[in-house]
Amino acid sequence: MKIPILILIATVCLGGCKPKDEEMDILIKNGMVYDGLNKDPQLVSIAIKEDTIAYIGNQDEVKFSAKTIIDATGLIVAPGFIDPHTHADRDLKNSKESHNKPFLYQGITTVVVGNDGSSPYPISKYANLYREHGIGTNVVFLVGQGTIREQVIGKVDRQPNHDELERMKALLQQEMQSGAFGMSTGLFYAPGSYATTEEIIELGKVVATFHGIYDTHLRDEGTYSIGLATSVKEAIEIGKESGMSVHISHIKCLGKKVWKQSDSIIQIIDNAIKSGLEVTASQYPYLASATGLQAAVVPRWAESGGKDSLFIRYEDANQRSWILDETQQNIELRGGPEKLLIVNAGQKDFVGKTIKELSESMGLPPNETVFEVLKKGYARVASFSMDPYDVENFMKQEWVVTASDGNTGHPRKYGTFPRKYKYYVKGGAIKLADFINRSSSKTAQIFRIKKRGSLVLGNYADIIIFDPETFGDKADYEDAFQLSEGLKFSIINGKMTIDNGTFTENLNGRILKKNDYENKSQF
Ligand SMILES: [Zn+2]
C-alpha cells in the first residue's frame, strides 16, 4: 500500500505543487514563512481552503484567486502556537470568557487544559459545554490524577485499597476514551501529593495503552520534600515503568537552595533520553512562579481533608505551633515574606502587597499573616524564586517548549510567548526558528497532536502572522491583565480570528480529541 501513495504524492507535488484553478478562501503572500520544522524561513505563499492548508509554494506560481488576500510584507508567518500548560479551562467554561483572548493575542491557537493533576471532570460534560457556547482557541484535554483520586477517595491523605485503585483506573479509562491526550499530575499539591510513585505507575499503565503522555508538576521543584533532582528521577521512573512518555511541566529550580542546579537536572534528563525514553519539558520565561498561597507555604499534612480541616487543626493549640513552624520554614524557602506578592485574593485590598507588607500592617508575624489572608478566601501569590541562569539554561535545551501556565494574576497568562520572543529571541539567547519550533510543532509532537503545529500541505490551517518589530508582552506584576501586542493575524481552522490586529469575535476553536486520531488508526 505504501508505494502507490508515495507515487501519488510525488505526482501531485511535481512542479512545486501547482495550484489548481480554484478559488481559495485565504491567500497569504509576501511573508517570511517559518513552517515550524525547518530552520530557514522561506518567502512563499500559503493558501487556505476551508479549514486546511491547500497550497504552499512559490510566489510567482500563484495564479488562483482568493476571497481574502493578506499581504504579509515585512511580517513573520508561523504555525499557531500550542500552549501545553494552561488553566484556561476556568475561562473556557464561561461563555463570557471563552474567547480566550489573553492566549489568542500571544499567537496561541491551541491550549492544553487539565494540567497539574486537576482537570475538568468529566471531560464529556465540558466538551459539550464548550461546543455549545463556542471557544476562541482549540483545546486539548488532559485528565488530572488528583481529580480522579478525589472522585474515589476524596482529599484525604491515605492510600487507596485494591478496589479503589481499580475504580481510579476505570475513571481514567473513561476520560481517555472521552478524548484526553494523557494524564497530568500535581504531585506537589494535595491530593496528588498523597499518591505514591507506585500508584501513579499503575494508573499510567492505563494511559500508556492509549499512547497518552504523562504531564507532571513535579513532587518538589525545590527543597520542600524529596528535592528537585529526586523528583525528576521519580517522573522518569514513572515513565519507564508505565510506558508513558514524560513531560515535565514548567521546569525550574525553585528557591535559592537549588539555584544553578539546572546543569545537573539537564544531565539527568539527557541521560534518560539517551537510554531511549522520551522526556521533555515546558517552561515560562519569568523569574517568579505563581501558585495558591496555601499550596506555597502551608504544610501538606495540615491540609489533609481540605480547607475546613486545615482551620480545625490551626485552632488546636498543639497543632497550631507545628503548622506555624513549618509555614515559616516554607516562607524562608521561598526567599522570605518580601518575595511573596499577593496577585489575587478574596479580600481585594490584599492584592499588590507582599506578605511582609501585610504582616507589618496587621502587626503579626509573617506565618500568622498567611492564615489571616487565607481566612478571607483563596489567595494566589507570585513568588520571586528563580535565577536567570537556570531560566536561560533550560530554555536552550531542544527538549524544552514554551508554556504559559496561564492563570489569573500572573502576567504569564497574557505575555509568555511574546515575552520569550521579545527578550530571549531578540536578546540572542535562542534563535527565532527554534523559538517557533518549540512553541508549535515540537509541542504538537510531544502531545501527539496530529496535523497541527506546522505549516505543511494538508494540515489544519492554524496560522499566525506577527510584526517582528512590535511583537511583545505588556502585562507585568503591576497590571497582569494587558493583552500582548504585535500580532496582526490569527487564523484558526481556516477562519479569521484576529484580523489586522482586531479580534473578529468569531469563536473558531475546536475540541481536539485523541481518539479521533485513534479511530483513523493513525497510531
Ligand atoms: Zn503547575
Side-chain angles (χ1 to χ4, degrees):
M1 276 304 287
K2 276 184 183 164
I3 294 164
I5 291 169
L6 282 175
I7 290 169
L8 181 68
I9 293 169
T11 313
V12 171
C13 289
L14 278 177
C17 288
K18 274 189 183 161
K20 298 179 206 99
D21 287 337
E22 57 178 322
E23 191 184 47
M24 296 289 175
D25 292 327
I26 301 175
L27 172 67
I28 303 164
K29 57 181 197 178
N30 303 327
M32 192 54 80
V33 176
Y34 287 79
D35 65 8
L37 300 165
N38 295 317
K39 298 279 174 205
D40 296 324
Q42 290 176 292
L43 206 59
V44 288
S45 291
I46 298 178
I48 299 163
K49 178 91 178 169
E50 294 172 351
D51 61 359
T52 304
I53 298 174
Y55 173 81
I56 302 181
N58 209 318
Q59 308 269 20
D60 16 286
E61 288 183 12
V62 175
K63 293 190 179 67
F64 49 75
S65 58
K67 288 175 196 145
T68 305
I69 296 176
I70 298 172
D71 182 0
T73 303
L75 303 176
I76 288 173
V77 181
F81 295 147
I82 299 174
D83 189 342
H85 190 118
T86 77
H87 297 279
D89 45 311
R90 293 161 199 172
D91 303 314
L92 296 176
K93 71 178 179 188
N94 173 354
S95 61
K96 292 196 174 60
E97 302 293 331
S98 69
H99 48 65
N100 240 2
K101 265 159 72 174
F103 298 90
L104 280 175
Y105 273 84
Q106 297 182 57
I108 295 162
T109 54
T110 300
V111 296
V112 174
V113 300
N115 303 86
D116 289 336
S118 171
S119 58
Y121 181 86
I123 287 172
S124 55
K125 175 183 152 189
Y126 284 89
N128 285 337
L129 182 68
Y130 296 176
R131 218 174 273 121
E132 270 166 31
H133 61 226
I135 50 176
T137 60
N138 300 315
V139 64
V140 161
F141 285 99
L142 296 173
V143 46
Q145 171 266 335
T147 298
I148 295 296
R149 197 179 209 271
E150 207 177 319
Q151 290 297 320
V152 178
I153 60 172
K155 284 193 168 186
V156 291
D157 183 1
R158 72 166 172 89
Q159 301 314 304
N161 62 34
H162 178 265
D163 287 353
E164 287 165 339
L165 190 61
E166 289 306 310
R167 256 215 77 218
M168 286 185 203
K169 285 187 193 170
L171 293 183
L172 201 50
Q173 173 108 9
Q174 164 202 300
E175 295 300 86
M176 290 303 291
Q177 279 167 346
S178 293
F181 282 68
M183 174 174 74
S184 76
T185 58
L187 299 185
F188 175 70
Y189 300 107
S193 60
Y194 306 139
T196 61
T197 309
E198 290 68 33
E199 180 181 325
I200 311 293
I201 291 170
E202 279 309 300
L203 298 174
K205 287 174 184 169
V206 176
V207 178
T209 63
F210 288 85
H211 204 204
I213 72 151
Y214 177 55
D215 174 272
T216 179
H217 180 138
L218 295 171
R219 203 176 283 277
D220 190 358
E221 295 179 319
T223 49
Y224 278 80
S225 55
I226 61 172
L228 173 61
T230 312
S231 296
V232 171
K233 288 176 190 161
E234 182 192 27
I236 292 169
E237 186 194 346
I238 288 167
K240 192 174 170 192
E241 298 303 322
S242 68
M244 298 182 290
S245 56
V246 177
H247 184 65
I248 298 170
S249 275
H250 44 56
I251 196 164
K252 62 174 83 73
C253 296
L254 180 77
K256 231 174 188 162
K257 287 190 176 168
V258 290
W259 281 1
K260 310 268 168 58
Q261 282 190 16
S262 50
D263 288 304
S264 61
I265 298 301
I266 288 165
Q267 193 64 52
I268 294 169
I269 294 173
D270 279 342
N271 288 342
I273 294 170
K274 270 187 213 132
S275 79
L277 293 173
E278 191 184 331
V279 185
T280 57
S282 69
Q283 181 198 37
Y284 51 80
Y286 292 87
L287 297 181
S289 61
T291 192
L293 174 62
Q294 186 175 319
V297 296
V298 173
R300 284 299 163 272
W301 62 266
E303 339 169 59
S304 174
K307 199 165 179 179
D308 291 349
S309 310
L310 168 65
F311 277 98
I312 288 168
R313 291 188 187 99
Y314 187 68
E315 296 309 325
D316 176 89
N318 285 330
Q319 298 193 67
R320 186 187 179 109
S321 62
W322 281 107
I323 293 171
L324 284 173
D325 277 358
E326 288 192 38
T327 300
Q328 187 57 37
Q329 284 169 27
N330 289 338
I331 291 172
E332 296 309 323
L333 285 179
R334 292 259 170 186
E338 67 278 17
K339 298 282 188 192
L340 292 166
L341 174 71
I342 307 275
V343 293
N344 194 9
Q347 187 162 320
K348 289 298 161 208
D349 58 357
F350 290 159
V351 175
K353 298 197 173 73
T354 63
I355 291 294
K356 181 160 195 269
E357 288 165 337
L358 288 172
S359 97
E360 284 163 1
S361 64
M362 289 179 187
L364 292 170
N367 52 1
E368 289 184 37
T369 304
V370 164
F371 287 89
E372 290 309 307
V373 172
L374 291 176
K375 276 179 193 168
K376 297 284 184 332
Y378 180 77
R380 290 187 66 77
V381 281
S383 163
F384 291 84
S385 50
M386 282 176 259
D387 187 84
Y389 173 81
D390 296 313
V391 172
E392 282 201 29
N393 203 7
F394 284 129
M395 192 182 287
K396 287 175 180 162
Q397 306 308 310
E398 58 94 23
W399 42 264
V400 175
V401 298
T402 319
S404 71
D405 194 1
N407 212 336
T408 303
H410 191 294
R412 67 193 184 200
K413 178 173 176 179
Y414 284 71
T416 289
F417 288 72
R419 177 184 175 81
K420 190 164 165 180
Y421 170 77
K422 186 173 167 182
Y423 294 102
Y424 295 91
V425 174
K426 282 185 163 177
I430 52 167
K431 294 197 171 75
L432 176 56
D434 290 333
F435 161 66
I436 291 173
N437 169 259
R438 301 209 290 261
S439 301
S440 58
S441 72
K442 180 84 184 169
T443 315
Q445 184 195 330
I446 293 167
F447 280 74
R448 297 171 181 143
I449 303 166
K450 293 285 178 182
K451 294 178 73 176
R452 296 186 194 267
S454 50
L455 301 182
V456 173
L457 199 66
N459 267 11
Y460 291 107
D462 292 345
I463 303 175
I464 58 167
I465 302 174
F466 62 88
D467 182 344
E469 298 299 319
T470 57
F471 192 49
D473 62 325
K474 290 179 82 180
D476 54 24
Y477 297 99
E478 299 286 311
D479 182 357
F481 303 90
Q482 299 179 78
L483 295 169
S484 286
E485 59 186 353
L487 183 72
K488 296 292 179 195
F489 296 89
S490 173
I491 297 162
I492 302 181
N493 294 304
K495 303 276 183 301
M496 201 75 85
T497 294
I498 289 177
D499 187 353
N500 214 2
T502 306
F503 179 47
T504 62
E505 306 285 335
N506 293 327
L507 305 178
N508 299 319
R510 288 184 188 164
I511 294 141
L512 310 187
K513 288 191 174 186
K514 186 170 174 60
N515 48 11
D516 283 349
Y517 305 124
E518 304 280 4
N519 293 341
K520 291 173 193 157
S521 15
Q522 291 192 26
F523 290 110

